[in-house]
Amino acid sequence: MARLGLHIKLAEQALIAAKTEALKPFGLPVAQYAVLAALYYHPGQSSAQLARTAAVTPQTMATVIAKLEQKRLVTRHPS
């Protein structure tokens, strides 16, 4: 019998693949979508909070936010 963790990991991979496919027409990777969704539900989050939500490193989040700014989908305000 396979371990529960394996089934959870396989489900997670299937979900990410489905999200990737669904977001392709919009030119949004999953991480960018996760940031937009997080900001929609909880505006004003810090980059560190968004990194935790999207399960990426703070360095990666800086890149994700920069790309969203280039697309004019988010605007940063100094704290």
Side-chain angles (χ1 to χ4, degrees), residues 1-61:
M1 179 187 328
R3 295 189 327 232
L4 177 60
L6 174 62
H7 291 295
I8 292 171
K9 183 65 176 172
L10 292 173
E12 179 182 28
Q13 288 173 340
L15 180 60
I16 290 171
K19 283 182 182 180
T20 299
E21 193 61 33
L23 293 168
K24 209 179 275 187
F26 304 101
L28 283 176
V30 174
Q32 289 179 14
Y33 170 79
V35 169
L36 292 174
L39 290 172
Y40 176 80
Y41 289 108
H42 302 285
Q45 293 184 66
S46 71
S47 181
Q49 290 169 314
L50 292 169
R52 286 189 291 277
T53 299
V56 299
T57 66
Q59 295 83 358
T60 299
M61 184 51 60

